[in-house]
Amino acid sequence: MLSDGEAAELLSFLNLETRADLKGQASEYVLGLTGNRDGCRYLQSKPDCLQALVTLTSDPSIAIVKDCFHALINLSADETLHQPLVTETVLLAKLLPKLLDPEYVFADRICTILSNLSRHERTCRDVFRALQEQDIGLDRLVEVFCNQGFNKKASLHYLGPLLSNLTQLPEARLFILDKDRCVIQRLLPYTQYEESSTRRGGVVGTLRNCCFDHAHHEWLLSDAVDIIPYLLLPLAGPEELSEEENEGLPVDLQYLPEDKKREEDPDIRKMLLETLILLTATRLGRQIMKDKNVYYIMREFDRWEKDPYVTSACEKLVQVLIGDEPEEGMENLMEVDIPKDVQEKLIELDAKEQEQMEKDEQEQMEKDEQEQMEKDKQEQLEKDKQESEKNPKQSPEGLER
Amino acid sequence: MAAPAQGEDSDDGMDEFMEKFKAQKYKNAFNESNWEEEFNKVPMFMKTAPENIDPEKNPDLACIQSIIHDDDRTPEEQARGLKDEGNDYFKEKNYKKSVVSYTEGLKKNCMDLELNAILYTNRAAAHFYLGNMRSALNDATAAKKLKPDHVKAIIRGAQCSLELRNYVGVLQWCDEGLKLFPTDKKLLELRATADKLKREADKDSRKAKVKAKKEQNEKKALLAAIKERGIKLLKTELSRHRGSDSEDDDGHGGASRALADLELDGMGSQEATGARVFMDEQGVLHWPVLFLYPEHNQTDFISAFCENSSFMDHLAVMFGEELPPWDTERKYQPQNLQLFFEDPEKGHLYQVDLETSLLNVLQHQRCFLKAGSPSFIVLVSGSLFSKQFLSGKKVKRSK
């Protein structure tokens, strides 16, 4: 990479007081470095440089600010940079206050950096702690997230993944699951937010994480939150159900219009199913899901779904919905002790299932390719046909008037 | 009463004064029989105040009341007094009077924002209990404007919106309030209630749409079936008139209008059944059919005549076992009957082959349906009446 001398020079240019053109070039150069893994690893050992980038986000020149943010986003995407960024720079202290500034033009970029940094547990804790130090409660984050138009220049969609990442921490989940406030309830409608799959995915991820604590299931399933309809709506389609089947469903799922579309992102579909499966851990949860006729929605969904991974999750859910209640002592599936030999067998079965799914996926891809080739062939034939039909008109035998 | 100490001189004449009472009878004492009534008249001991205070009957009370409205006090003091008066009426559930007091208090236009906010909020509450939701909502809004953190006003605003079924409004009030008081139980409860009711209302609206669509499709299918069979519906006077006025082309509006033709005019003045042609699950049409018996001025109405049934099928039953009471000459027997339909344009009569199906007849070139109901004239073959009836008319016999 750079020699020590060059590195020192570079660093000297990355200064607020430096001449604009030198500053600009220096920051551009650093941005270039962050474009690949080696460059990032090099910068990992240069905390002064990282700090300089953070400082320059206050530069009067918008071009430089953009470059610095871009560089920081790239760096934060690399896990090895996480600790240096939070411990060797003032990134969190400096950028967090601007996150919820309704006038700040670069708020979206801060969101992206934070959502990157909060990916893995260790630095996630640092981010969470920093938020608390800045007196930014999770309820405030949710409030801003759910207030469209809060920041006219930033969509803040990446607050979704940030929330999702933060809720991997039990202490963060407590804020979202606060019964004395209206927090999680505000997130629910966003499982159907069409304009951004980032936002949708973030919300669904948050809900899934919150369902890990089965102590909260009763509350989540009750009218106070009523989480089930919001998990089912993205999975429900326009298929007509009989009046009887309709009346047994939750209110929000009754009489859906004929243009109802399902969630288009398979990863999100899978997360929704995982969340529903988590909610079947307790006997109460299973009972409620059976009472709400969740099965009918899953039946139609299973007919529609093509992705093998998602189908697998769907089938797991259906098995619980139509299966018998487990025997005494096993009602809470999360607390059951699994004997070692059974564990091993289950792991084996899982591996086999994984293999099968990969095979299915491969087959599906080949099928799609085949179909596409056929289509292209067909189109080509059509084109050729049209070409040959055009020619007669140009033949010299045409009458001239 | 301590007795005077032995040997002490009490120089204030207290003893003598006290002695006097023992001797004299107290005048103006309460009478044993009516002392409770009298007590009630003394302002301090009144259990309830009279609705209207008449200065003549109750000078003491009127006096006390006027102190409340004493104009020597500052506007703030007067407003405060009126607020208290209003609150008292409110506690007695005399909401109308409390509104008056609060209004008077607001009229003072004092500078105390909080006091005015309270006056508005309390008046909003009074209106709420009187059922004047809009007035209550206006007052709550005014209160909030003066003091944005007045939680009672916000709660009241949400409650009014709930009564007015403006669920989106309730959510707006609650969310504004929850920003300031995130753990307020009443606001959380109102928000949850409104959310639930809103989702119910959304479902009802979806259900209605589905139902309307279904009906629309059924109507379309019915009209298509009729058209497909080549059956001609006559445009009635009303529908012709309407047809020239409306602008929409024969897609949406046309379908419902044509069907309206089937319902308009009723089915004649006697038949108020409102029966209409319908299509069964097998796609077979069933028509409401009128049989007219001009000889006796009688009619028969078949509400659902299957298009594939023949006339004889029905006549055999109608005139089978028992002949109708109006058939005095006992001559309306199935084998003697002749049926005709009238061409409404040209006035010709067309005889109907009794063994043929209704569908066949409806498909006849000169058969037009008036008000969606086929009608047939029934005569007895060879009878005097039939000869008279048919004379002078152009009749096309069946083969």
Side-chain angles (χ1 to χ4, degrees):
Chain A
M1 283 277 147
L2 298 170
S3 73
D4 283 346
E6 288 169 333
E9 209 189 357
L10 179 66
L11 188 59
S12 71
F13 291 154
L14 291 172
N15 221 308
L16 283 170
E17 287 83 37
T18 310
R19 223 172 73 199
D21 56 341
L22 286 174
K23 233 189 321 184
Q25 283 188 354
S27 34
E28 237 182 84
Y29 181 77
V30 176
L31 173 57
L33 282 179
T34 67
N36 62 72
R37 211 182 77 155
D38 289 335
C40 282
R41 295 298 154 89
Y42 172 73
L43 287 167
Q44 192 191 349
S45 58
K46 298 271 172 284
D48 290 340
C49 210
L50 299 175
Q51 177 53 47
L53 284 174
V54 174
T55 311
L56 282 178
T57 58
S58 311
D59 198 275
S61 154
I62 298 219
I64 291 178
V65 173
K66 275 191 183 161
D67 279 350
C68 289
F69 268 120
H70 200 159
L72 286 168
I73 290 175
N74 288 349
L75 288 165
S76 63
D78 185 328
E79 196 187 341
T80 61
L81 267 297
H82 284 185
Q83 279 300 298
L85 280 171
V86 304
T87 56
E88 316 264 8
T89 76
V90 298
L91 185 147
L92 289 177
K94 187 171 155 107
L95 296 184
L96 280 179
K98 301 226 177 83
L99 175 65
L100 298 185
D101 178 349
E103 308 285 318
Y104 195 54
V105 172
F106 298 101
D108 270 339
R109 290 172 176 81
I110 301 184
C111 278
T112 310
I113 296 170
L114 290 174
S115 109
N116 283 350
L117 288 174
S118 55
R119 222 130 184 255
H120 304 285
E121 199 182 328
R122 189 172 172 206
T123 316
C124 183
R125 281 231 153 73
D126 292 303
V127 175
F128 184 63
R129 210 170 294 138
L131 282 167
Q132 292 190 297
E133 278 164 19
Q134 299 268 358
D135 225 2
I136 303 174
L138 256 64
D139 58 330
R140 177 99 181 103
L141 272 184
V142 169
E143 198 195 301
V144 168
F145 182 53
C146 298
N147 181 356
Q148 276 157 288
F150 173 80
N151 184 325
K152 307 270 183 300
K153 300 283 171 62
S155 69
L156 300 180
H157 292 322
Y158 273 90
L159 282 181
L162 173 60
L163 277 168
S164 174
N165 290 345
L166 288 171
T167 50
Q168 68 183 289
L169 306 169
E171 54 267 37
R173 291 201 284 275
L174 286 179
F175 281 96
I176 308 278
L177 292 167
D178 192 341
K179 290 188 181 138
D180 295 331
R181 286 169 195 252
C182 180
V183 190
I184 195 173
Q185 294 92 331
R186 291 187 195 281
L187 292 173
L188 297 172
Y190 286 93
T191 60
Q192 292 209 275
Y193 186 77
E194 285 183 6
E195 286 86 28
S196 162
S197 67
T198 305
R199 186 177 273 256
R200 265 194 335 268
V203 167
V204 175
T206 307
L207 295 177
R208 186 189 58 175
N209 290 349
C210 287
C211 287
F212 272 116
D213 306 325
H214 63 86
H216 290 101
H217 283 190
E218 186 167 356
W219 178 67
L220 287 170
L221 294 164
S222 75
D223 275 354
V225 180
D226 202 13
I227 195 174
I228 289 190
Y230 296 98
L231 296 172
L232 287 177
L233 271 169
L235 301 172
E239 296 88 11
E240 253 190 76
L241 295 174
S242 76
E243 180 140 354
E244 214 184 88
E245 287 168 340
N246 248 313
E247 293 293 321
L249 291 172
V251 160
D252 306 272
L253 286 136
Q254 292 182 19
Y255 304 103
L256 294 176
E258 359 175 81
D259 56 358
K260 171 76 177 65
K261 293 208 172 57
R262 288 188 165 90
E263 168 60 62
E264 46 185 37
D265 185 327
D267 290 326
I268 298 182
R269 293 201 295 273
K270 185 151 170 275
M271 275 201 286
L272 287 163
L273 289 165
E274 285 164 359
T275 315
L276 286 163
I277 291 171
L278 284 170
L279 288 167
T280 60
T282 63
R283 167 178 283 207
L284 176 71
R286 289 193 291 279
Q287 190 56 51
I288 290 181
M289 292 236 240
K290 285 180 188 170
D291 290 342
K292 291 192 188 235
N293 284 2
V294 173
Y295 169 71
Y296 292 127
I297 306 285
M298 287 303 120
R299 181 189 69 196
E300 297 305 316
F301 178 79
D302 194 38
R303 285 185 189 151
W304 172 89
E305 180 60 67
K306 303 235 168 15
D307 183 308
Y309 291 98
V310 184
T311 301
S312 156
C314 176
E315 284 170 2
K316 284 200 178 85
L317 177 59
V318 169
Q319 267 173 30
V320 177
L321 291 175
I322 61 180
D324 291 325
E325 269 300 298
E327 44 187 77
E328 284 290 317
M330 302 201 17
E331 285 102 13
N332 189 329
L333 301 176
M334 282 177 162
E335 287 177 343
V336 173
D337 269 325
I338 307 179
K340 191 149 190 264
D341 59 335
V342 177
Q343 267 192 55
E344 283 170 8
K345 229 189 181 174
L346 288 173
I347 293 176
E348 212 185 294
L349 282 172
D350 260 343
K352 278 214 187 105
E353 199 189 353
Q354 187 77 5
E355 251 183 72
Q356 186 59 40
M357 292 201 297
E358 280 165 7
K359 241 200 235 160
D360 289 343
E361 209 187 6
Q362 188 65 19
E363 271 178 35
Q364 188 63 35
M365 284 199 326
E366 284 170 7
K367 233 205 246 163
D368 290 342
E369 256 186 68
Q370 189 82 347
E371 270 180 44
Q372 189 59 39
M373 290 200 321
E374 287 289 333
K375 246 203 226 161
D376 291 341
K377 230 203 251 172
Q378 202 60 19
E379 275 180 30
Q380 192 58 39
L381 282 172
E382 283 294 322
K383 269 204 204 138
D384 293 341
K385 205 172 162 207
Q386 284 176 13
E387 281 297 315
S388 64
E389 276 173 2
K390 264 200 236 155
N391 288 333
K393 293 195 187 135
Q394 294 160 2
S395 78
E397 287 121 324
L399 284 173
E400 294 200 47
R401 292 191 187 269
Chain B
M1 301 279 177
Q6 290 291 17
E8 246 184 60
D9 245 73
S10 43
D11 21 289
D12 54 1
M14 189 60 170
D15 292 349
E16 284 168 41
F17 187 67
M18 298 287 288
E19 286 300 312
K20 247 212 288 189
F21 276 114
K22 287 189 186 148
Q24 284 179 3
K25 179 117 194 216
Y26 172 52
K27 292 191 198 112
N28 291 337
F30 284 142
N31 199 314
E32 262 195 57
S33 54
N34 72 347
W35 73 268
E36 281 183 58
E37 259 182 69
E38 294 297 312
F39 244 61
N40 236 22
K41 288 193 194 147
V42 178
M44 184 172 255
F45 300 111
M46 266 183 196
K47 291 224 174 76
T48 52
E51 275 291 304
N52 291 303
I53 299 170
D54 184 353
E56 307 246 322
K57 291 203 187 125
N58 261 310
D60 313 320
L61 263 184
C63 221
I64 295 176
Q65 196 181 51
S66 73
I67 295 175
I68 301 173
H69 306 287
D70 184 352
D71 284 330
D72 280 349
R73 300 175 303 155
T74 68
E76 278 78 17
E77 287 168 340
Q78 292 179 56
R80 210 170 290 277
L82 285 161
K83 177 200 78 165
D84 291 334
E85 184 185 72
N87 289 353
D88 287 337
Y89 280 132
F90 193 97
K91 281 184 204 135
E92 292 169 14
K93 299 201 202 253
N94 200 332
Y95 302 120
K96 284 208 173 109
K97 282 235 157 118
S98 74
V99 168
V100 172
S101 305
Y102 295 137
T103 308
E104 287 302 307
L106 286 165
K107 277 198 194 149
K108 299 294 171 189
N109 265 322
C110 73
M111 293 289 112
D112 187 341
L113 286 179
E114 170 145 13
L115 180 55
N116 285 328
I118 293 176
L119 282 165
Y120 272 121
T121 307
N122 292 3
R123 195 171 71 176
H127 276 306
F128 184 81
Y129 287 109
L130 285 169
N132 305 334
M133 290 307 151
R134 296 215 173 263
S135 307
L137 187 60
N138 287 341
D139 280 346
T141 310
K144 182 173 75 97
K145 207 166 173 198
L146 288 176
K147 195 164 173 283
D149 64 348
H150 199 72
V151 71
K152 279 197 176 146
I154 297 174
I155 291 175
R156 186 62 62 193
Q159 284 169 327
C160 293
S161 301
L162 188 62
E163 291 298 312
L164 290 167
R165 303 210 190 163
N166 177 3
Y167 303 125
V168 174
V170 181
L171 293 174
Q172 282 170 342
W173 279 95
C174 289
D175 285 341
E176 246 194 273
L178 287 167
K179 264 206 199 117
L180 302 161
F181 309 98
T183 53
D184 187 297
K185 288 220 186 315
K186 199 79 185 94
L187 286 174
L188 288 170
E189 194 191 303
L190 283 164
R191 191 184 193 278
T193 306
D195 187 66
K196 193 163 189 202
L197 289 171
K198 176 171 181 291
R199 286 151 63 191
E200 282 271 351
D202 288 343
K203 176 214 73 173
D204 289 335
S205 136
R206 286 197 304 269
K207 190 173 180 181
K209 273 208 185 111
V210 164
K211 192 165 177 226
K213 190 106 205 250
K214 194 168 172 225
E215 277 174 12
Q216 186 77 345
N217 286 341
E218 279 173 4
K219 277 189 183 170
K220 276 204 188 129
L222 187 58
L223 278 171
I226 293 175
K227 197 169 175 193
E228 195 186 14
R229 286 156 171 70
I231 299 173
K232 299 165 285 296
L233 299 170
L234 193 66
K235 278 201 169 58
T236 59
E237 280 302 320
L238 256 73
S239 69
R240 226 178 280 149
H241 179 75
R242 199 184 281 159
S244 59
D245 279 351
S246 74
E247 293 133 3
D248 57 322
D249 55 316
D250 229 30
H252 210 316
S256 46
R257 243 184 312 139
L259 255 176
D261 295 346
L262 294 181
E263 286 168 323
L264 275 172
D265 310 323
M267 299 291 158
S269 48
Q270 297 100 316
E271 297 73 37
T273 58
R276 203 178 78 174
V277 58
F278 68 89
M279 186 158 68
D280 67 19
E281 276 161 21
Q282 279 76 40
V284 174
L285 293 180
H286 299 253
W287 294 88
V289 172
L290 264 176
F291 286 119
L292 308 167
Y293 311 100
E295 181 173 0
H296 296 278
N297 264 326
Q298 292 289 333
T299 58
D300 265 328
F301 180 66
I302 315 251
S303 58
F305 192 137
C306 173
E307 62 182 352
N308 296 326
S309 302
S310 73
F311 291 85
M312 190 44 94
D313 288 337
H314 283 271
L315 292 173
V317 172
M318 289 155 71
F319 298 95
E321 303 237 335
E322 273 182 37
L323 294 178
W326 43 259
D327 179 16
T328 44
E329 290 167 53
R330 303 278 131 219
K331 63 180 194 262
Y332 278 75
Q333 294 177 27
Q335 62 271 28
N336 298 339
L337 297 176
Q338 284 180 332
L339 254 65
F340 301 86
F341 70 83
E342 187 175 348
D343 175 345
E345 279 180 22
K346 297 188 181 157
H348 302 332
L349 289 174
Y350 291 81
Q351 189 180 10
V352 172
D353 174 358
L354 297 182
E355 298 298 336
T356 193
S357 69
L358 175 63
L359 176 61
N360 240 322
V361 175
L362 293 179
Q363 286 174 321
H364 191 287
Q365 231 188 2
R366 300 308 304 172
C367 180
F368 297 88
L369 292 189
K370 229 187 208 174
S373 178
S375 51
F376 299 94
I377 297 165
V378 184
L379 301 170
V380 174
S381 163
S383 69
L384 183 60
F385 179 82
S386 101
K387 285 204 183 87
Q388 288 173 336
F389 188 87
L390 296 173
S391 74
K393 293 200 170 74
K394 193 120 186 246
V395 184
K396 299 270 165 77
R397 299 264 170 196
S398 63
K399 296 168 193 83

